Amino acid sequence: MKLCRPLAVAAAVAVATPVVLLTAAPALAAGASTAQTQNQPTYAELVKAAADAQKAYEEAVIAKEEGQKKLKAALDSLDSDTHPLKAATIAADKAAKEAAGAKEAAEKAVADAEAALEAAQSDTEKAEAQRAFEAAEIDLAKAVEAKQEADATAKEARTALDDARVAAVREYSVVQDAPEKALKAKKAAEEALATAKECVRENGLTSLAVGLPSKVVAGTTVDFTLRVTNGTERTLTVDPLAFFHVDGEHRGEKSHLEVEWSNGSGWQALNGNEPEHIAHIDSMKPGERSDVKLRMKVASVAQAADAFALFAGDASDAYNPCVLGPMKRYDFELLPVGSKTGPADEAKPGRPGENDDKRPDAAKPGTDTGPSAQGGASKQAAATGTGADGNLAETGTSSAMAPLALAGAVTVVLGAGAVFAVRRRKAADNV
């Protein structure tokens, strides 16, 4: 009885095991360079490895169950008197037993003949007793030889039966441990995939507002640019994130700010007070820059209020479905109709949040001015793509659940919660 499928499964497990020993980038770690990813499995390869390991485990479990059934059937069959090997053993044992009885009878006949020879008186009686004794000894020799042959045949029959039982058990042993090995491979593959799913920080992926004024008068329209730069060593698929909020306004209600964006193919409106990904960039090579046009209209009925905008780059590449660039916050004011603004008024990344000292990646207040609205940047910002002021906490994994660095409780509730949810949803969509 052959177990072809179990053997194939065992072989598949052995082949699949080395694949799942590969690992992916750690959560929210700095993005790997091109050199570092040359020998790293892609996310698609990790997905396939996990799927293959899952399938191998399922097949190993089924193969073991089938192997158990086949082993029991094989052993039951070998224990049946009708099985050729068992029948041969029974017949050989019977023949050996009969041969042993014949030998015992021959031994007794020799003993009796020897006693008769000793008791004989006359020469005639002695001659007859001698002939009987010699004949008995010949019969005993034949009986001994017959018993030896019968014993050997019985031993061969029992060995053949035992070998068949051992072969059945050995065949089952091939798949007996396969589920355990396949489960280890499956867990390793799942862990590698889970690691790859965790969000990776890329400080070089910057999203900066260029030309956003710090004061906007009601009833006016402001044009500015969101400049997305891939300052990393990786080719990325980028979805810039934009969010605008006016103090006193709540999610779901009509805002006094109407914001539209364009990548050169018409204008599209942002969804009110909801954070949104805009201007999908399918392939952004290292060093490339893309400008997204933004247009902000302020309703004439708008009253004086504080407002802010958040910008960040959410991305993915062949190795990570979730890559997060630093988030920038720009504070600006809404002024009533007829207010005057000076030409030098421009928005800059906002003040550091109250949780900066709780985030190991956050700069302390006052250490850097951050990039300006016109695209200027300090030396630190130019080198890393980040500035201390307005560089918000990255979100996207459980390790980033600390409150975002936004100023004020209202901002934390309305801004951080909404943006966190959108970035997490985007990361999940890329998986």
Side-chain angles (χ1 to χ4, degrees), residues 304-353:
D306 291 329
F308 68 84
L310 300 179
F311 300 107
D314 292 349
S316 62
D317 66 5
Y319 301 94
N320 299 94
C322 178
V323 178
L324 302 179
M327 182 177 290
K328 297 295 182 181
R329 168 180 165 148
Y330 290 82
D331 290 295
F332 58 95
E333 296 179 60
L334 297 187
L335 303 178
V337 172
S339 300
K340 301 296 182 180
T341 60
D345 291 335
E346 57 184 27
K348 294 182 180 180
R351 54 195 178 281

Side-chain angles (χ1 to χ4, degrees), residues 205 234-239 280-282 314-324 426 430:
L205 176 60
R234 314 158 70 179
T235 297
L236 301 173
T237 296
V238 184
D239 290 281
H280 174 79
I281 306 169
D282 188 58
D314 292 349
S316 62
D317 66 5
Y319 301 94
N320 299 94
C322 178
V323 178
L324 302 179
K426 179 62 181 177
N430 286 337

Side-chain angles (χ1 to χ4, degrees), residues 90-156:
I90 293 174
D93 286 342
K94 181 180 179 181
K97 185 176 181 180
E98 290 175 352
K103 177 177 176 289
E104 289 178 0
E107 289 172 342
K108 186 176 183 303
V110 168
D112 291 345
E114 186 178 13
L117 179 61
E118 291 177 354
Q121 297 297 323
S122 66
D123 292 340
T124 301
E125 290 177 345
K126 289 180 179 179
E128 291 179 353
Q130 181 64 37
R131 287 193 295 271
F133 175 71
E134 291 174 353
E137 283 187 326
I138 293 173
D139 290 340
L140 176 59
K142 292 180 180 179
V144 170
E145 183 178 357
K147 182 178 182 302
Q148 290 175 343
E149 292 178 354
D151 287 345
T153 300
K155 182 178 180 180
E156 291 177 358

Side-chain angles (χ1 to χ4, degrees), residues 339-375:
S339 300
K340 301 296 182 180
T341 60
D345 291 335
E346 57 184 27
K348 294 182 180 180
R351 54 195 178 281
E354 58 183 0
N355 295 296
D356 275 351
D357 58 348
K358 299 178 183 178
R359 296 184 295 111
D361 59 316
K364 298 300 180 181
T367 59
D368 187 20
T369 60
S372 71
Q374 299 302 325

Side-chain angles (χ1 to χ4, degrees), residues 17-360:
T17 301
V19 176
V20 300
L21 298 180
L22 302 170
T23 57
L28 282 180
S33 66
T34 302
Q36 291 173 316
T37 58
Q38 284 181 347
N39 298 320
Q40 179 181 338
T42 65
Y43 181 72
E45 290 171 340
L46 291 174
V47 171
K48 185 178 184 303
D52 290 345
Q54 175 66 33
K55 183 179 179 181
Y57 171 69
E58 293 172 354
E59 291 183 347
V61 171
I62 294 174
K64 181 178 180 179
E65 293 174 351
E66 291 179 352
Q68 289 174 331
K69 294 177 182 177
K70 291 180 180 179
L71 174 62
K72 184 179 184 303
L75 294 179
D76 289 345
S77 177
L78 290 170
D79 286 337
S80 173
D81 292 347
T82 60
H83 192 282
L85 293 177
K86 183 65 178 291
T89 300
I90 293 174
D93 286 342
K94 181 180 179 181
K97 185 176 181 180
E98 290 175 352
K103 177 177 176 289
E104 289 178 0
E107 289 172 342
K108 186 176 183 303
V110 168
D112 291 345
E114 186 178 13
L117 179 61
E118 291 177 354
Q121 297 297 323
S122 66
D123 292 340
T124 301
E125 290 177 345
K126 289 180 179 179
E128 291 179 353
Q130 181 64 37
R131 287 193 295 271
F133 175 71
E134 291 174 353
E137 283 187 326
I138 293 173
D139 290 340
L140 176 59
K142 292 180 180 179
V144 170
E145 183 178 357
K147 182 178 182 302
Q148 290 175 343
E149 292 178 354
D151 287 345
T153 300
K155 182 178 180 180
E156 291 177 358
R158 287 193 298 273
T159 299
L161 181 61
D162 291 341
D163 288 347
R165 291 193 179 102
V166 170
V169 173
R170 184 180 291 115
E171 197 168 26
Y172 168 67
S173 68
V174 175
V175 296
Q176 183 178 17
D177 298 331
E180 182 179 355
K181 294 179 180 177
L183 181 60
K184 291 181 180 178
K186 172 177 171 291
K187 289 181 178 179
E190 290 173 346
E191 289 174 2
L193 181 60
T195 300
K197 287 181 179 180
E198 294 176 351
C199 292
V200 174
R201 182 192 300 113
E202 276 289 9
N203 288 335
L205 176 60
T206 59
S207 301
L208 306 176
V210 179
L212 174 63
S214 62
K215 300 179 186 297
V216 184
V217 179
T220 63
T221 298
V222 173
D223 291 311
F224 61 101
T225 299
L226 176 61
R227 178 159 295 164
V228 182
T229 303
N230 182 6
T232 75
E233 298 180 9
R234 314 158 70 179
T235 297
L236 301 173
T237 296
V238 184
D239 290 281
L241 179 75
F243 176 54
F244 291 80
H245 176 73
V246 179
D247 286 358
E249 295 183 349
H250 303 285
R251 294 180 62 190
E253 68 181 27
K254 184 174 177 59
S255 175
H256 288 151
L257 284 182
E258 293 184 9
V259 182
E260 298 176 318
W261 64 271
S262 174
N263 58 1
S265 58
W267 290 94
Q268 301 183 51
L270 287 180
N271 186 20
N273 283 317
E274 299 291 337
E276 187 174 336
H277 289 98
I278 63 175
H280 174 79
I281 306 169
D282 188 58
S283 179
M284 200 171 192
K285 296 180 180 180
E288 287 188 344
R289 186 180 75 185
S290 180
D291 286 348
V292 182
K293 295 180 179 178
L294 287 162
R295 184 165 63 192
M296 183 170 61
K297 301 177 181 179
V298 185
S300 58
V301 295
Q303 301 299 313
D306 291 329
F308 68 84
L310 300 179
F311 300 107
D314 292 349
S316 62
D317 66 5
Y319 301 94
N320 299 94
C322 178
V323 178
L324 302 179
M327 182 177 290
K328 297 295 182 181
R329 168 180 165 148
Y330 290 82
D331 290 295
F332 58 95
E333 296 179 60
L334 297 187
L335 303 178
V337 172
S339 300
K340 301 296 182 180
T341 60
D345 291 335
E346 57 184 27
K348 294 182 180 180
R351 54 195 178 281
E354 58 183 0
N355 295 296
D356 275 351
D357 58 348
K358 299 178 183 178
R359 296 184 295 111

Side-chain angles (χ1 to χ4, degrees), residues 392-417:
L392 305 185
E394 279 72 11
T395 62
T397 68
S398 57
S399 63
M401 287 296 289
L404 292 177
L406 304 177
V410 174
T411 300
V412 171
V413 174
L414 297 179

